[in-house]
């Protein structure tokens, strides 16, 4: 029995083993077939990927190859030698990303929408193609550049004149707050390039005899998102009706807002969109922090910080013209070299304040958001936000005044119990939490008595200032010289 059982068991084992061998063989066949199918599919996928890569690289290789070359010099962007020499004279060693992508397209005669951060070299990105086109076909009133602020308009004209010096460029700045008659004379000389704020340009188109933009070849809108946020929309619509439809339009903006998109559809013909880092972000070399304290001690904390950073160049941003003036007086009475800059100052005073700060004659500029955009002041060590901006984007532009061109810089925001919502919104835009600035609160409070005296002095001086302004206005009306308001760009500050 035992032998029979063993035999039957051995037969069963053989059968089971045979079955296993068959199953293994079948599985091997299936695996082989699957491997063959997979290998065929992989080969097909690889072929498709290679074809797609070839198609993509066919279009992109030239861009990549040129971008590597273009980074070396402006010549390889297609810029002519005289303008390249001007770039070297201005110490433009290498083109910036926005210049690399937008200049060749603009040189082809295409409309361009350039989206890039503040301090990215946008002015040269539109100035160089215009100057090259002017070199090839010189004509008066060739280009018009619209800017949202007077200071930015003057800065743009300076860069045009520096780059266009080799070709004998004539440039006129047409902004509010300056004499209309002298501007009319400048326009009568038929400059090649006009840099203007929209309101004053419209005034000249309506009232200056013999002046028109019917022969205009290039229209540039710099900081277009800001232009359209400042109620310039109706004026720009009128301007577009008074200039030729057959022109090149270069639209440069920090972001693509709905208003900018609407303007693009209305005024650009098959534009090429060039976007370089359109996400709102600050540079890596900028050290950002905040300070939280009760509102009643705001001036004391400001004075303490300014004293701690004595000798450094700084811009203090305030929300209103009145606060800007008051803080400048407050700091001056405490011995700090502060100067105000805001929209209710005369244009000559504004330019004077800016030049004093740029030259180092004053190390502290107390300003409204007039100074937040576009101004290139290379050596600013620190930005202090006395008031938190209501618009998170304005924060990016404010702190962009420091840590420019690869330099280090720091920004510090003064946050009270009333600013928490605005401040948290800014942190949300930045996508990170900022560090709290370390400070000795007892040392701050030691200054409170002296700051209180300075506050009272500042209030008295402000009262006298307002009394003088009211007297000037009444004198102007009685003599039939009713003063005109400042340019529309200052509306929002009031």
């Amino acid at each position: 029995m035992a032998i029979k059982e063993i035999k039957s068991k051995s037969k069963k084992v053989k059968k089971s083993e045979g079955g296993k061998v068959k199953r293994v063989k079948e599985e091997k066949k299936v695996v082989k077939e699957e491997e063959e199918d997979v290998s065929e599919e992989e080969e097909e996928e690889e072929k498709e990927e290679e074809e797609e890569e070839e198609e993509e690289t066919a279009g992109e290789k030239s861009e990549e190859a040129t971008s590597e070359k273009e980074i070396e010099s402006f010549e390889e962007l297609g810029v002519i030698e005289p303008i390249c020499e001007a770039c070297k004279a201005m110490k433009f060693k290498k083109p910036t990303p926005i210049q690399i992508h937008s200049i060749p397209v603009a040189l082809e005669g295409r409309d361009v929408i350039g989206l890039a951060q503040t301090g990215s070299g946008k002015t040269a990105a539109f100035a160089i193609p215009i100057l090259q086109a002017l070199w090839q076909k010189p004509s008066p009133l060739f280009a018009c550049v619209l800017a949202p602020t007077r200071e930015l308009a003057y800065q743009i004209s300076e860069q045009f004149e520096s780059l266009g010096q080799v070709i004998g460029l004539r440039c006129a700045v047409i902004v509010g707050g300056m004499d209309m008659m002298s501007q009319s004379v400048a326009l009568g000389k038929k400059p090649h390039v006009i840099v203007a704020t929209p309101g004053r340009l419209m005034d000249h188109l309506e009232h200056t005899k013999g002046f028109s933009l019917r022969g205009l070849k290039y229209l540039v809108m710099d900081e277009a998102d800001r232009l359209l946020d400042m109620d310039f929309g109706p004026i720009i619509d009128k301007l577009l009706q008074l200039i030729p439809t057959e022109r090149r339009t270069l639209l440069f903006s920090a972001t693509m807002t709905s208003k900018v998109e609407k303007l693009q559809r209305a005024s650009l013909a098959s534009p090429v969109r060039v976007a370089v880092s359109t996400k709102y972000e600050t540079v890596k070399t900028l050290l950002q922090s905040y300070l939280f304290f009760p509102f009643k001690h705001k001036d004391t904390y400001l004075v303490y910080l300014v004293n701690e950073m004595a000798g450094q160049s700084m811009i203090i941003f305030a929300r209103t013209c009145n606060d800007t003036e008051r803080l400048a007086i407050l700091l001056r009475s405490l011995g700090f070299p502060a100067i105000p800059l805001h929209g209710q100052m005369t244009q000559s005073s504004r330019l004077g304040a800016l030049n004093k700060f740029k030259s180092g004659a004053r190390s502290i500029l107390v300003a409204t958001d007039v100074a937040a955009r576009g101004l290139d002041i290379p050596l600013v060590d620190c930005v202090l936000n006395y008031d938190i901006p209501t618009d998170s984007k304005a924060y990016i532009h404010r702190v962009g005044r420091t840590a420019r061109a690869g330099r280090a810089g720091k920004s510090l925001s003064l946050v009270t119990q009333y600013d928490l919502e605005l401040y948290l919104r800014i942190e949300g835009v930045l996508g990170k939490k900022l560090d709290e600035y370390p400070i000795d609160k007892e040392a701050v409070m030691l200054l409170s008595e002296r700051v209180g005296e300075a506050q009272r002095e500042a209030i008295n001086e402000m009262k006298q200032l307002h009394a003088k302004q009211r007297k000037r206005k009444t004198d102007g009306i009685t003599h039939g010289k009713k003063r005109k308001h400042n340019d529309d760009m200052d509306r929002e500050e009031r």
Side-chain angles (χ1 to χ4, degrees), residues 184 187-188 190 204-212:
S184 299
L187 291 172
K190 305 288 183 187
H204 280 286
L205 284 167
E206 289 174 343
H207 303 117
T208 302
K209 286 184 180 179
F211 171 59
S212 78

Side-chain angles (χ1 to χ4, degrees), residues 293-302 416 444-445 448 455:
F293 51 82
F295 176 77
K296 63 181 179 179
H297 300 310
K298 196 170 186 178
D299 286 352
T300 310
Y301 273 82
L302 175 69
T416 70
V444 176
M445 288 300 103
S448 58
Q455 282 174 324

Side-chain angles (χ1 to χ4, degrees), residues 115-134:
L115 304 175
Q117 292 172 304
T118 180
S120 57
K122 285 183 283 185
T123 307
F126 60 74
I128 288 170
I130 289 171
L131 292 170
Q132 186 151 322
L134 184 63

Side-chain angles (χ1 to χ4, degrees), residues 287 304-316 336-338 357 360-365 379-384 402 408-412 437:
L287 184 66
Y304 178 84
L305 290 167
V306 170
N307 191 49
E308 285 285 295
M309 298 173 191
Q312 295 183 32
S313 170
M314 69 182 79
I315 302 178
I316 300 168
F336 297 107
F357 183 66
R362 297 283 188 277
S363 61
I364 301 168
L365 182 71
L379 301 173
V380 178
D381 299 311
C382 181
V383 168
L384 284 174
T402 185
K410 57 185 172 183
S411 71
L412 184 54
Y437 188 80

Side-chain angles (χ1 to χ4, degrees), residues 116-119 122 147-153 155-156 222-230 252-255 257 260 280 317 354 368-377 391-401 404 492:
Q117 292 172 304
T118 180
K122 285 183 283 185
T149 67
R150 303 172 193 175
E151 285 72 26
L152 182 55
Q155 186 173 290
I156 291 167
D222 193 20
E223 303 285 0
D225 53 339
R226 174 79 164 157
L227 270 175
L228 297 166
D229 282 344
M230 296 178 74
F252 284 80
S253 176
T255 52
T257 62
V260 174
Y280 271 96
F317 282 104
L354 200 57
T368 57
D369 280 332
V370 160
R373 282 238 186 181
L375 295 185
D376 185 23
I377 306 165
D391 180 9
S392 304
K393 295 169 191 173
Y395 173 87
I396 307 290
H397 286 287
R398 284 183 180 186
V399 300
R401 297 312 98 209
R404 295 175 76 82
E492 63 181 25

Side-chain angles (χ1 to χ4, degrees), residues 62-73 76 100:
S62 58
E63 283 183 21
E64 288 171 1
T66 49
S67 67
E68 285 173 11
K69 290 178 185 176
E70 287 163 359
I71 289 169
E72 294 171 14
S73 70
E76 298 185 47
I100 288 168

Side-chain angles (χ1 to χ4, degrees), residues 196-459:
T197 48
R200 180 51 66 94
L201 181 64
M202 198 69 217
D203 283 347
H204 280 286
L205 284 167
E206 289 174 343
H207 303 117
T208 302
K209 286 184 180 179
F211 171 59
S212 78
L213 295 174
R214 284 198 282 285
L216 194 75
K217 301 291 187 294
Y218 278 84
L219 175 69
V220 180
M221 281 177 259
D222 193 20
E223 303 285 0
D225 53 339
R226 174 79 164 157
L227 270 175
L228 297 166
D229 282 344
M230 296 178 74
D231 301 325
F232 279 132
I235 297 171
I236 287 169
D237 288 341
K238 280 185 185 178
L239 286 170
L240 291 173
Q241 290 170 10
L242 296 170
I243 59 178
T245 51
E246 290 184 15
R247 63 170 192 277
R248 297 280 64 81
T249 306
L250 309 176
L251 190 150
F252 284 80
S253 176
T255 52
M256 196 67 177
T257 62
S258 56
K259 287 181 180 178
V260 174
E261 208 163 341
K262 186 181 174 185
L263 180 67
Q264 170 208 332
R265 289 197 298 270
S267 62
L268 276 74
S270 60
V272 177
R273 183 167 166 168
V274 177
V276 179
S277 186
T278 54
K279 183 189 170 188
Y280 271 96
E281 57 189 4
T282 52
V283 293
K284 292 174 184 176
T285 52
L286 176 67
L287 184 66
Q288 302 173 77
S289 51
Y290 73 94
L291 197 53
F292 185 67
F293 51 82
F295 176 77
K296 63 181 179 179
H297 300 310
K298 196 170 186 178
D299 286 352
T300 310
Y301 273 82
L302 175 69
V303 171
Y304 178 84
L305 290 167
V306 170
N307 191 49
E308 285 285 295
M309 298 173 191
Q312 295 183 32
S313 170
M314 69 182 79
I315 302 178
I316 300 168
F317 282 104
R319 191 171 294 135
T320 65
C321 298
N322 195 67
D323 264 348
T324 304
E325 198 75 50
R326 183 184 68 81
L327 288 172
I329 294 167
L330 173 79
L331 291 169
R332 276 204 303 267
S333 68
L334 291 166
F336 297 107
I339 193 162
L341 175 67
H342 57 78
Q344 289 180 0
M345 292 164 66
T346 63
Q347 186 56 37
S348 55
S349 301
R350 283 161 67 165
L351 288 173
L354 200 57
N355 288 333
K356 280 179 184 175
F357 183 66
K358 279 184 174 181
S359 66
R362 297 283 188 277
S363 61
I364 301 168
L365 182 71
V366 189
T368 57
D369 280 332
V370 160
R373 282 238 186 181
L375 295 185
D376 185 23
I377 306 165
L379 301 173
V380 178
D381 299 311
C382 181
V383 168
L384 284 174
N385 287 305
Y386 177 81
D387 289 315
I388 302 296
T390 51
D391 180 9
S392 304
K393 295 169 191 173
Y395 173 87
I396 307 290
H397 286 287
R398 284 183 180 186
V399 300
R401 297 312 98 209
T402 185
R404 295 175 76 82
R407 297 185 188 89
K410 57 185 172 183
S411 71
L412 184 54
S413 300
L414 306 186
V415 185
T416 70
Q417 65 269 35
Y418 306 116
D419 304 316
L420 277 173
E421 188 183 343
L422 292 172
Y423 176 72
L424 291 171
R425 201 182 298 162
I426 287 165
E427 282 194 333
V429 168
L430 294 173
K432 62 180 177 182
K433 295 280 181 187
L434 303 186
D435 297 325
E436 188 167 6
Y437 188 80
I439 202 164
D440 183 356
K441 293 185 180 179
E442 289 180 7
V444 176
M445 288 300 103
L446 290 173
L447 296 171
S448 58
E449 191 176 335
R450 181 69 191 93
V451 171
E453 289 172 15
Q455 282 174 324
R456 288 188 286 276
E457 287 174 32
I459 289 166

